Amino acid sequence: MKHMRFPLFVTVMVILSGPAHAADCYADYKAKQDNPLRLHYGVAKVSGQCTKAAAKAELKNRLGANGWKLLNVVSVFGPEGLAQRKKSAGSNFLRF
């Protein structure tokens, strides 16, 4: 019976750790357009790993397809951070 404990422990730990992208992930970012210069702050849902680097890669393409240039990803966070950013993002809240 002792020999079964270690594999069970490892299995439970793998299940509990789960992939980094399992939970909802959001990023707040800053972007711009030129001629005329326009700036905006926004919040977007991102897929994949919940890291600044992954969010930057995803948002760069998504914003670029809409004529915006990503300046930077401010932070990445879970659903608990949405409410506090909604007012600041205005019309760019979950737009892109």
Side-chain angles (χ1 to χ4, degrees):
M1 187 74 151
K2 272 188 172 179
H3 67 304
M4 300 254 330
R5 286 185 184 164
F6 183 73
L8 180 60
F9 174 76
V10 171
T11 302
V12 169
M13 292 308 295
V14 169
I15 291 169
L16 290 177
S17 67
H21 57 82
D24 287 342
C25 180
Y26 301 87
D28 56 344
Y29 65 88
K30 294 179 183 179
K32 75 169 188 164
Q33 283 183 329
D34 292 319
N35 297 325
L37 178 63
R38 294 174 57 200
L39 302 171
H40 88 244
Y41 167 81
V43 173
K45 185 171 185 177
V46 293
S47 58
Q49 289 188 313
C50 197
T51 65
K52 279 182 153 182
K56 183 177 180 179
E58 185 176 334
L59 290 174
K60 181 179 177 183
N61 294 329
R62 195 184 307 169
L63 290 165
N66 288 281
W68 290 92
K69 180 180 179 184
L70 178 66
L71 296 174
N72 71 316
V73 171
V74 178
S75 63
V76 291
F77 53 92
E80 69 282 350
L82 287 173
Q84 69 191 48
R85 292 170 173 90
K86 186 173 183 175
K87 186 175 180 181
S88 296
S91 64
N92 294 310
F93 182 75
L94 304 179
R95 178 179 172 195
F96 294 103

